[in-house]
């Protein structure tokens, strides 16, 4: 294709020379000489570009085991621009060839080949995703700012091609007479509906306006995420040993290592949740807790170059304008059109069923903490930077349970083994470490071959530790997903990415109970995709409010007796967790649920109220304050994600008007866990196989509400999530 472009440009040059109607012979000769020189120069330039593509580190064919893996160790960041352009050119060439087929569009000559386009783009953007999320630096951010808007515009223009719409519509209108099976019919219908929902029917100025809005949004998303990441890469430095009061030795060793990595004396606290949370829990220095807390919650909200408020206002205006162009009342209605909830009101209804019980529980928790503080003679009123610290004191007082007592039993390596074992007991899977046999993008990334029975089904990458250039939080992704179309077994390449603080030199990495839940949660996503058994890639992505369901279910097995007895072994003695401590943990399962529910749910409610409105807000800080006041947000808690650093909402459209989905998914999760408990054994093989085959393996091949009903025999019931969190269940309360 690249050489066809060269040929076309040479032909254009020749045509230009032929049109030079100049009479003077000397002038003509001179012009001919100039044109010849120009043609040689252009040909040389095109050849150089062709060589650049051929030698591009990102465009190389994936080789090695598992039908090829990314050559992470060979990637040159400077190669991304050429790789992006080549991937887009390839996609356009493939799509246009299918689009321009003169035959009437059918499932066989249009839908099927369209499903198989874009392999190179998939690979390029898989590699890019790791560099933008796990390995970001100034060079990556510069490329991101320049190229992501171009990429957005390209795919928008491709999607809005009227010829593609016409072909898609033809297949859609003839679907009932085309002898399609259920999956094929669903694919055809979803393809057409998605195109229409995203503006394919727009014409003229409206189409151009949509492309411009999406391009501007891509720029704003990059701007937002880069500003937040810049604030997360700041540190608070401690230089006095007195500043370490109350901190466990393992944490002190990790923050000392962070300082040494920067050639600094003392201890370095990075401005991320994985550092903030243990510091607030353990530090007895209230003055430092306040400093660390405020630095964390004010990411993106400091009135400096990294302040995101103006960027948020811009994003909200662009989203509101886009919703209007697309014919939706609000951005929330647009984003929720292809979800299980369907309407903002359904999501709000669920959230408001849980919210009153959550804030009621917070009042009880704060009263318990205030009593402890008063008994100590602290002479304080519980503030947000005190909550985690005094919650641990209450936990110890009420349940004789201390996070510091638990943590030595949660050695990261053991918990990784535990999650693999759970996957084996439930779904017959094996995870065999083969680190060193395939390239990785960081020396600390581990890899595992995944088998079910005698069949190898994929490769799992595990990137556990926080580092410079890695975005905060935890996530799962696939570099290659499963589908049968094309007649070849596709090995899944899946990864989990966490931000645990690595233990000091020579010491094991110990994680909190919350971190262990995160480990199992993200692995639940991986299990979902590793268990896919679908035919068409277009039926791979599930609705946003279903995505978190399999991962949240997987958290439940962490605190089962089998996992605790076999893997919760003391980091120093190797002794298993005493039964008395297991009992304490089980007794305290619903402890502090008021805090965790309010912290999360306030973020979800604000998200929905922010996007379920026709006129966008212009002052995010003011809107946040006013909305929280309106819903009676407890003053002792701040949203889990304040708007100025809410990456879920503003680094992409992904979770916008969709953060409720965790609660929606957890409602199904709690109901599903009840099914395992009702079986009399939470490791019940029949229930696990039904869950795997009906829920995990099917991707989006069937309506997800119907899939759930098939698995459970009914819709999920809210009472189970209330029970799980220890809240009163209305029908059972007096």
């Amino acid at each position: 294709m690249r050489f066809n472009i060269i040929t076309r440009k040479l032909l254009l040059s020749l045509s230009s020379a032929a049109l030079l109607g100049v009479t003077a012979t000397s002038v003509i000769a001179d012009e001919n000489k100039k044109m010849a020189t120009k043609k040689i120069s252009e040909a040389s330039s095109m050849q150089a570009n062709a060589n650049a593509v051929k030698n591009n580190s990102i465009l190389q064919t994936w080789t090695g085991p598992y039908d090829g893996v990314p050559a992470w160790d060979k990637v040159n960041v400077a190669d991304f621009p050429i790789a992006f352009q080549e991937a887009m050119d390839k996609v356009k060439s493939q799509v246009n060839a299918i689009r321009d087929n003169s035959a009437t569009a059918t499932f066989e000559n249009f839908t099927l080949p369209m499903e198989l386009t874009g392999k190179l783009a998939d690979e390029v953007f898989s590699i890019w995703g790791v560099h933008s999320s796990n390995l970001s630096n100034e060079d990556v951010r510069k490329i991101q700012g320049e190229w992501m808007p171009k990429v957005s515009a390209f795919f928008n223009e491709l999607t809005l091609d009227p010829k593609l719409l016409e072909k898609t519509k033809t297949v859609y209108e003839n679907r009932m007479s085309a002898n399609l099976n259920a999956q094929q019919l669903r694919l055809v219908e979803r393809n057409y509906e998605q195109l229409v929902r995203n503006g394919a029917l727009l014409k003229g100025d409206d189409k151009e306006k949509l492309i411009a809005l999406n391009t501007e949004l891509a720029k704003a998303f990059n701007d937002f995420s880069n500003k937040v990441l810049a604030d997360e890469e700041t540190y608070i430095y401690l230089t006095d040993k007195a500043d370490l009061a109350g901190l466990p030795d393992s944490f002190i060793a990790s923050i000392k290592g962070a300082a040494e990595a920067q050639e600094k004396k003392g201890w370095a606290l990075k401005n991320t949740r994985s550092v903030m949370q243990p510091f607030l829990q353990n530090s007895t220095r209230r003055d430092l807790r306040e400093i660390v807390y405020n630095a964390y919650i004010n990411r993106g909200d400091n009135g400096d170059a990294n302040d995101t408020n103006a960027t948020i206002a811009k994003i909200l205006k662009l989203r509101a304008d886009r919703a209007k162009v697309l014919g939706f009342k609000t951005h929330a209605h647009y984003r929720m059109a292809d979800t299980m909830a369907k309407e903002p009101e359904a999501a709000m209804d669920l959230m408001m069923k849980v919210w009153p019980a959550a804030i009621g529980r917070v009042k009880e928790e704060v009263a318990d903490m205030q009593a402890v503080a008063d008994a100590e003679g602290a002479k304080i009123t519980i503030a947000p930077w005190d909550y985690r610290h005094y919650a641990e004191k209450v936990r110890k007082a009420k349940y004789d349970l201390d996070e510091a007592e638990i943590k030595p039993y949660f050695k990261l390596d053991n918990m990784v083994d535990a999650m693999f074992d759970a996957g084996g007991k439930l779904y017959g899977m094996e995870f065999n470490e083969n680190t060193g046999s395939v390239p990785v993008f960081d020396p600390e990334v581990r890899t595992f071959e995944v088998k079910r029975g005698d069949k190898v089904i994929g490769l799992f990458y595990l990137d556990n530790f926080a580092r410079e250039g890695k975005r905060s939080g935890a996530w799962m992704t696939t570099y290659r997903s499963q589908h049968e179309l094309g007649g070849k077994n596709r090995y899944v390449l899946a990864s989990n990415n966490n931000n645990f603080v690595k233990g000091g030199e020579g010491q094991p990495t110990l994680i909190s109970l919350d971190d262990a839940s995160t480990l199992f949660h993200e692995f639940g996503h991986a299990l979902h995709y590793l268990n896919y058994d679908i035919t068409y890639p277009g039926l791979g992505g599930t609705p946003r409010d279903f995505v978190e369901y399999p991962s949240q279910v997987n958290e439940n097995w962490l605190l089962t007796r089998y996992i605790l007895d076999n893997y919760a072994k003391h980091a120093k003695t190797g002794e298993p967790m005493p039964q008395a401590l297991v009992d304490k943990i089980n007794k305290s399962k619903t402890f502090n649920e008021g805090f965790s529910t309010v912290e999360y749910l306030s973020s979800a409610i604000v998200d929905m109220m922010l996007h379920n409105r026709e006129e966008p807000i212009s002052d995010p800080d003011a809107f946040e304050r006013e909305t929280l006041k309106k819903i009676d947000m407890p003053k002792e808690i701040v949203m889990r994600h304040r708007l100025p650093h809410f990456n879920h909402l503003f680094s992409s459209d992904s979770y916008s008007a969709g953060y409720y989905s965790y609660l929606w998914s957890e409602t199904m999760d709690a109901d599903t866990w009840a099914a395992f408990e009702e079986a009399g054994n939470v490791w019940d093989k029949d229930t696990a196989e039904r869950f795997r085959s009906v829920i995990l393996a099917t991707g989006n091949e069937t309506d997800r509400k119907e899939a759930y009903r098939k698995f459970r025999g009914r819709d999920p019931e809210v009472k189970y999530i209330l029970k799980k969190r220890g809240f009163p269940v209305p029908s059972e309360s007096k």
Side-chain angles (χ1 to χ4, degrees):
M1 176 175 59
R2 181 69 62 173
F3 288 103
N4 288 338
I5 294 172
I6 294 170
T7 302
R8 182 164 57 85
K9 287 194 174 183
L10 283 170
L11 287 171
L12 286 172
S13 297
L14 288 170
S15 298
S16 297
L19 291 172
L20 289 175
V22 183
T23 56
T25 304
S26 60
V27 174
I28 292 173
D30 186 53
E31 289 299 325
N32 285 342
K33 184 176 180 180
K34 286 181 180 178
M35 288 306 303
T37 302
K38 182 179 179 182
K39 285 184 286 182
I40 292 170
S41 176
E42 288 183 347
S44 176
S45 176
M46 292 301 101
Q47 185 61 54
N49 286 342
N51 289 336
V53 168
K54 181 179 179 182
N55 299 320
N56 187 284
S57 61
I58 299 157
L59 294 173
Q60 300 306 304
T61 301
W62 291 7
T63 59
Y66 313 107
D67 284 339
V69 295
W72 303 109
D73 54 333
K74 300 289 195 300
V75 172
N76 178 3
V77 169
D79 285 345
F80 273 114
I82 288 176
F84 290 151
Q85 190 60 58
E86 180 67 11
M88 291 189 290
D89 289 344
K90 187 82 169 179
V91 168
K92 189 169 186 177
S93 175
Q94 293 171 338
V95 169
N96 286 354
I98 299 165
R99 180 199 67 184
D100 296 339
N101 183 351
S102 60
T104 301
T106 64
F107 185 84
E108 287 73 21
N109 70 18
F110 179 74
T111 306
L112 285 183
M114 283 291 289
E115 283 286 285
L116 291 172
T117 61
K119 178 177 179 290
L120 178 63
D122 288 344
E123 293 179 351
V124 167
F125 287 103
S126 290
I127 296 173
W128 169 251
V130 165
H131 281 76
S132 61
S133 295
N134 303 61
L135 303 170
S136 184
N137 57 35
E138 286 187 16
D139 292 338
V140 170
R141 289 170 206 163
K142 183 178 179 182
I143 293 170
Q144 187 174 13
E146 180 183 354
W147 276 87
M148 289 307 100
K150 295 180 183 178
V151 171
S152 173
F154 168 79
F155 283 106
N156 273 290
E157 289 171 4
L158 202 63
T159 301
L160 298 176
D161 185 328
K163 292 183 179 179
L164 278 182
L165 172 65
E166 195 57 41
K167 293 269 186 177
T168 306
K169 185 178 180 182
T170 297
V171 178
Y172 174 79
E173 290 177 338
N174 295 330
R175 68 193 185 283
M176 304 312 294
S177 60
N179 197 30
L180 303 177
N181 65 29
Q183 285 75 38
Q184 292 168 341
L185 188 63
R186 180 169 173 80
L187 178 64
V188 167
E189 290 175 345
R190 286 183 59 79
N191 282 348
Y192 179 70
E193 290 164 3
Q194 189 172 21
L195 277 179
V196 172
R197 187 167 57 249
N198 288 314
L201 293 179
L202 297 177
K203 299 184 183 301
D205 290 345
D206 283 343
K207 180 185 289 188
E208 293 304 316
K209 187 175 182 180
L210 177 62
I211 293 171
L213 288 168
N214 282 329
T215 301
E216 287 302 307
L217 275 166
K219 292 177 183 177
F221 294 154
N222 289 331
D223 185 39
F224 180 89
S225 59
N226 286 338
K227 286 178 176 179
V228 174
L229 183 57
D231 268 4
E232 289 176 345
E233 290 182 344
T234 59
Y235 287 83
I236 294 170
Y237 296 97
L238 307 179
T239 56
D240 189 331
K241 280 192 176 182
D243 296 341
L244 307 177
L247 301 178
D249 291 342
S250 59
F251 184 73
I252 292 172
S254 68
I255 61 177
K256 183 174 179 60
E260 289 172 347
Q262 301 172 63
E263 299 182 349
K264 300 272 190 182
K265 291 183 179 180
W267 304 267
L269 301 170
K270 192 176 184 182
N271 197 15
T272 61
R273 177 174 288 272
S274 58
V275 172
M276 174 277 294
Q277 190 162 302
F279 187 88
L280 295 188
Q281 281 180 346
N282 295 289
S283 176
T284 57
R285 288 283 302 275
R286 191 176 191 239
D287 58 333
L288 294 179
R289 292 203 307 267
E290 183 176 1
I291 290 170
V292 169
Y293 177 83
N294 282 325
Y296 181 77
I297 68 159
N298 287 317
R299 288 167 297 149
D301 195 24
N302 295 299
D304 57 13
N306 294 324
D307 193 282
T308 62
N309 282 283
T311 307
I312 293 171
K314 180 179 181 180
I315 289 171
L316 295 173
K317 176 68 166 60
L318 291 167
R319 282 175 172 165
D321 289 347
R322 180 178 60 184
K324 290 175 184 174
V325 170
L326 291 171
F328 289 93
K329 182 180 178 182
T330 70
H331 177 72
H333 288 84
Y334 163 58
R335 287 295 298 164
M336 295 182 69
D338 188 31
T339 63
M340 296 179 75
K342 298 295 184 186
E343 298 284 342
E345 292 72 24
M348 283 298 295
D349 180 61
L350 174 61
M351 290 191 283
M352 297 317 293
K353 282 179 179 176
V354 177
W355 180 251
I359 59 176
R361 178 57 53 83
V362 166
K363 291 176 183 177
E364 297 172 10
E365 293 172 1
V366 171
D368 288 342
M369 291 186 290
Q370 190 64 56
V372 171
D374 292 346
E376 291 179 345
K379 296 181 180 179
I380 65 168
T381 299
I382 297 297
W385 48 88
D386 299 315
Y387 208 113
R388 287 178 172 85
H389 184 71
Y390 278 93
E392 287 307 309
K393 290 176 180 281
V394 172
R395 192 201 303 262
K396 187 167 178 59
K398 273 196 168 186
Y399 304 100
D400 191 25
L401 185 63
D402 187 345
E403 178 72 30
E405 183 184 6
I406 301 171
K407 203 167 184 179
Y409 290 97
F410 283 91
K411 184 179 175 182
L412 178 58
D413 287 347
N414 287 355
M415 289 300 104
V416 169
D417 291 342
M419 72 183 193
F420 288 152
D421 191 3
K425 284 177 69 68
L426 291 166
Y427 312 120
M429 304 168 76
E430 289 181 35
F431 294 81
N432 300 307
E433 185 156 13
N434 62 352
T435 301
S437 66
V438 295
V440 291
F441 50 83
D442 185 88
E444 291 179 336
V445 174
R446 299 169 67 186
T447 60
F448 303 82
E449 182 176 88
V450 189
K451 297 175 69 176
R452 181 181 294 108
D454 295 329
K455 183 181 179 183
V456 176
I457 59 175
L459 179 70
F460 177 67
Y461 296 77
L462 185 59
D463 182 19
N464 270 332
F465 300 113
R467 62 173 168 271
E468 290 294 316
K470 188 176 184 181
R471 69 178 173 90
S472 63
W475 64 97
M476 174 268 171
T477 190
T478 57
Y479 311 133
R480 184 195 298 132
S481 296
Q482 183 275 338
H483 64 76
E484 293 181 6
L485 189 63
K488 184 179 183 181
N489 177 54
R490 283 169 59 92
Y491 295 102
V492 177
L493 304 180
S495 77
N496 276 175
N497 309 270
N498 299 299
N499 265 289
F500 303 135
V501 178
K502 192 176 183 183
E505 188 173 351
Q507 297 191 32
T509 297
L510 305 179
I511 60 176
S512 66
L513 188 56
D514 185 61
D515 284 340
S517 295
T518 296
L519 188 75
F520 269 62
H521 176 99
E522 296 306 329
F523 189 57
H525 284 303
L527 289 172
H528 187 191
Y529 282 86
L530 286 164
N531 277 289
Y532 264 27
D533 185 16
I534 66 173
T535 302
Y536 304 104
L539 295 178
T542 57
R544 171 54 62 198
D545 46 12
F546 185 89
V547 167
E548 299 297 335
Y549 162 45
S551 55
Q552 289 178 260
V553 169
N554 202 58
E555 293 179 40
N556 289 286
W557 281 280
L558 170 63
L559 290 179
T560 57
R561 287 285 301 274
Y562 174 81
I563 294 298
L564 292 175
D565 290 346
N566 287 280
Y567 295 98
K569 297 185 177 181
H570 199 281
K572 290 184 177 178
T573 67
E575 292 296 315
M577 183 180 285
Q579 187 56 48
L581 185 53
V582 174
D583 292 341
K584 289 180 190 178
I585 291 173
N586 285 327
K587 275 184 68 177
S588 69
K589 275 185 179 179
T590 60
F591 174 74
N592 220 32
E593 279 294 343
F595 172 83
S596 60
T597 305
V598 165
E599 187 192 41
Y600 154 71
L601 200 50
S602 57
S603 297
I605 292 170
V606 169
D607 164 40
M608 190 58 69
M609 289 184 165
L610 185 70
H611 288 107
N612 186 25
R613 51 186 297 125
E614 295 184 55
E615 290 302 317
I617 63 100
S618 57
D619 186 342
D621 273 347
F623 179 85
E624 181 182 299
R625 287 193 303 272
E626 291 162 7
T627 304
L628 293 175
K629 183 178 180 180
K630 187 183 300 182
I631 63 174
D632 295 323
M633 176 74 167
K635 67 180 187 303
E636 298 86 0
I637 302 178
V638 172
M639 296 161 60
R640 183 175 180 86
H641 304 289
R642 288 195 56 235
L643 294 180
H645 50 255
F646 208 158
N647 271 311
H648 290 75
L649 304 192
F650 303 118
S651 63
S652 72
D653 277 327
S654 185
Y655 278 89
S656 59
Y659 201 60
Y660 78 90
S661 61
Y662 287 93
L663 185 68
W664 190 274
S665 294
E666 193 182 350
T667 302
M668 294 186 287
D669 147 38
D671 193 77
T672 296
W673 187 242
F676 278 93
E677 291 180 320
E678 290 161 9
N681 173 16
V682 296
W683 301 96
D684 181 66
K685 294 286 188 184
D686 290 341
T687 308
E689 175 53 27
R690 237 173 354 102
F691 181 70
R692 189 199 70 80
S693 61
V694 175
I695 299 295
L696 300 183
T698 52
N700 201 13
E701 286 190 330
T702 59
D703 179 87
R704 294 295 82 190
K705 277 189 177 180
E706 293 304 318
Y708 192 88
R709 288 170 185 148
K710 182 178 179 182
F711 165 68
R712 195 70 167 106
R714 55 168 174 73
D715 289 331
E717 297 180 359
V718 177
K719 69 178 182 179
Y720 290 107
I721 189 175
L722 294 173
K723 281 184 176 180
K724 179 181 178 180
R725 291 181 176 259
F727 299 158
V729 178
S731 62
E732 296 180 7
S733 60
K734 295 181 181 179

